[in-house]
Amino acid sequence: SALQSLRPSVPQPLRMSGGSRTSQASRSVFVGNIPYNATEDQLEEIFRTVGQVVSFRLVKNSDTGQPKGFGFCEFRDAQTAESAIRNLNNTELNGRMLRIDYASNIGEGKDKSSGG
């Protein structure tokens, strides 16, 4: 099997052919503890300090339109996402310490159902 020949300890070159669900997850980070007065632009500016940001999404309450205090940032590659987690976790923004982790560790659903 081709899967058995892959060694996790050896970094694999990024393949742009798609088809891998893990590649997008590893390029995306969860951003928690975001101050409610922070804007997507402010957050994107912080994340651009580590590399190229593909997109930033601030999650909002579907009824009120108010930010829920967390979001997701997608980077161009997995190395940049890893760098963001390493270097930007516990960065202060408007008096709050941002919490940054891999989006795949949080278990974000693909559906847009609102909890709560």
Side-chain angles (χ1 to χ4, degrees):
S1 165
L3 288 174
Q4 289 173 325
S5 66
L6 291 176
R7 290 198 196 114
S9 58
V10 178
Q12 297 294 317
L14 283 175
R15 291 187 188 89
M16 301 310 280
S17 59
S20 170
R21 271 177 298 169
T22 55
S23 67
Q24 184 169 356
S26 62
R27 287 189 291 129
S28 297
V29 298
F30 167 85
V31 187
N33 203 33
I34 299 172
Y36 293 113
N37 60 353
T39 66
E40 286 187 359
D41 287 342
Q42 281 180 308
L43 290 152
E44 212 171 294
E45 197 176 311
I46 290 170
F47 288 105
R48 272 200 298 263
T49 63
V50 294
Q52 187 177 335
V53 173
V54 175
S55 67
F56 186 88
R57 184 166 60 91
L58 197 56
V59 178
K60 297 181 179 174
N61 183 308
S62 55
D63 298 326
T64 65
Q66 294 299 308
K68 288 188 168 190
F70 67 94
F72 296 90
C73 186
E74 184 187 341
F75 293 98
R76 196 188 62 190
D77 54 52
Q79 286 83 357
T80 309
E82 190 181 322
S83 175
I85 292 167
R86 213 172 39 242
N87 297 305
L88 299 177
N89 191 33
N90 293 323
T91 296
E92 187 184 328
L93 177 62
N94 298 352
R96 295 185 79 161
M97 304 301 266
L98 298 179
R99 190 171 72 82
I100 301 164
D101 199 354
Y102 283 111
S104 54
N105 293 352
I106 307 301
E108 178 201 23
K110 290 281 181 223
D111 63 342
K112 298 235 174 178
S113 62
S114 60

